[in-house]
Amino acid sequence: MAVYKFDEVLNDLMDYFILGDPDYLLQYKIENDLPDDLLTEFTTEETGDQVVEEGVIVPMIGIENYPYTIYFNLSDETPELLKAENEVQHQRDGYYLKVVNGRIYLYTIPYLRDFTETKVGLLKKYKHASIELPNGWYSVTILAGLTKQLLEVETVSGKTEEFESMEPTFEFVLKPSAEKPEYTADFTYSFKVEIDE
């Protein structure tokens, strides 16, 4: 088990991120006879709460429009955002996920507008932050804030220079659970990351 890192992850101009197994969400949609427009369904019906409480997705709101560094942390080491050189702004636990198809993705809300097999295929093909995980239940702690990253910039003369910068970051600490964990999270919590301009 390790730590996986992804750079320049975008939120598609919507203030949401969704963490989960999209194949499982598609399966849930079919089994529960839900419409293709899951965005309207989840925001107007109680199915939105149910899908979260059943561990199909972890929704995050208040996501500012930045490119993010994303960590999936499966280790027992100190999370990246809790290390001395970094700045944690949010630390929330009580979330959980069920993995059914061996992989989770961090994806964006426009996919929910037309959640079909074709759309899920596109989601999986597009470069998203995604890792393989053994099937089963996972407790999820979400950390957000700024991490020190080494950036490469090409100068006018064509040379590449490196410099350090504090970058907006999300970190998902995932722990396997033998059974369904207790859901204690507040999914109306805003994960707005403040950056120093």
Side-chain angles (χ1 to χ4, degrees), residues 58-61 81-82 88-96 139-144 170-174 183-192:
V58 173
M60 287 154 279
I61 64 170
L81 269 158
L82 296 182
V88 67
Q89 296 177 11
H90 306 278
Q91 183 174 1
R92 309 289 290 184
D93 53 21
Y95 298 90
Y96 56 72
S139 65
V140 182
T141 299
I142 304 173
L143 297 99
F170 274 89
E171 183 168 11
F172 303 99
V173 179
L174 298 141
Y183 193 91
T184 58
D186 171 8
F187 53 83
T188 63
Y189 180 82
S190 172
F191 283 97
K192 180 176 181 175

Side-chain angles (χ1 to χ4, degrees), residues 7-23:
D7 296 316
E8 304 280 312
V9 177
L10 303 174
N11 68 344
D12 287 345
L13 306 177
M14 304 280 284
D15 66 344
Y16 260 88
F17 272 141
I18 299 165
L19 182 69
D21 171 347
D23 287 305

Side-chain angles (χ1 to χ4, degrees), residues 38-139:
L38 289 181
L39 182 56
T40 302
E41 174 71 20
F42 289 169
T43 52
T44 59
E45 304 294 332
E46 292 197 0
T47 45
D49 294 355
Q50 289 162 6
V51 81
V52 173
E53 286 162 9
E54 292 190 34
V56 184
I57 61 171
V58 173
M60 287 154 279
I61 64 170
I63 310 298
E64 290 290 312
N65 189 32
Y66 307 129
Y68 288 90
T69 300
I70 303 294
Y71 291 98
F72 290 109
N73 191 333
L74 307 172
S75 76
D76 292 322
E77 307 297 313
T78 302
E80 293 297 317
L81 269 158
L82 296 182
K83 292 180 179 172
E85 69 271 19
N86 298 324
E87 178 192 318
V88 67
Q89 296 177 11
H90 306 278
Q91 183 174 1
R92 309 289 290 184
D93 53 21
Y95 298 90
Y96 56 72
L97 264 185
K98 187 175 185 186
V99 180
V100 176
N101 297 284
R103 183 172 275 279
I104 60 168
Y105 293 77
L106 182 68
Y107 56 102
T108 55
I109 208 151
Y111 285 100
L112 296 184
R113 285 202 186 107
D114 179 30
F115 206 78
T116 59
E117 203 169 318
T118 304
K119 190 59 76 79
V120 171
L122 287 171
L123 185 162
K124 289 155 66 177
K125 200 156 64 169
Y126 185 69
K127 185 187 170 284
H128 284 91
S130 169
I131 59 167
E132 285 185 14
L133 278 179
N135 289 343
W137 286 104
Y138 291 83
S139 65

Side-chain angles (χ1 to χ4, degrees), residues 144-164:
L146 303 173
T147 54
K148 191 176 282 187
Q149 301 293 331
L150 201 58
L151 301 180
E152 289 188 351
V153 174
E154 196 171 311
T155 63
V156 182
S157 62
K159 288 184 181 158
T160 302
E161 289 186 3
E162 291 185 339
F163 69 96
E164 287 184 342

